[in-house]
Amino acid sequence: MFGSITAMFLFIVFMLSTIVASTGWHMDVNYADGATVKLHGHTNSGCTKFKKTGSEITSVFFDTSLLADTFVLYGEDGCKDEVYKGKKGNNNVPNDYYAAYKVY
């Protein structure tokens, strides 16, 4: 009896982890110098600084998740100066240097 309960529990945990793993958001950030940075997550990102800052961002491809359907680009690290808000698909952003982003 305990073996079947354990097996059922493990199956449920496996199925839930598979669902969560396949429902994450993805964001490809394209730069003027030809580089692409791929970002991903499962929940809201909070204010996150870009690691690459030496080139202007030209476009962002964003694929939503169950928990996040919007991204915002900011001109400074503290995420107070909202410059661009995007949704699912290819977003041609104003060519500029962006310091941080949020996904929610």
Side-chain angles (χ1 to χ4, degrees):
M1 179 167 147
F2 289 113
S4 62
I5 292 173
T6 302
M8 180 63 78
F9 174 76
L10 291 175
F11 176 75
I12 291 170
V13 168
F14 171 75
M15 291 305 293
L16 289 174
S17 65
T18 301
I19 290 169
V20 169
S22 65
T23 59
W25 56 266
H26 302 276
M27 189 163 75
D28 295 341
V29 181
N30 301 301
Y31 290 86
D33 66 3
T36 299
V37 174
K38 297 181 179 288
L39 306 166
H40 59 87
H42 297 286
T43 60
N44 297 348
S45 68
C47 184
T48 306
K49 291 177 14 176
F50 282 111
K51 291 181 181 174
K52 179 173 175 49
T53 58
S55 182
E56 294 179 330
I57 293 175
T58 59
S59 66
V60 175
F61 179 81
F62 183 63
D63 193 11
T64 62
S65 72
L66 292 174
L67 301 174
D69 66 355
T70 303
F71 73 92
V72 179
L73 301 178
Y74 296 90
E76 44 68 44
D77 294 349
C79 293
K80 295 178 185 167
D81 177 24
E82 181 178 306
V83 178
Y84 183 85
K85 184 182 285 187
K87 294 287 188 179
K88 183 176 184 172
N90 193 42
N91 295 263
N92 292 319
V93 303
N95 292 4
D96 205 348
Y97 293 91
Y98 298 97
Y101 69 91
K102 278 187 188 177
V103 174
Y104 57 90

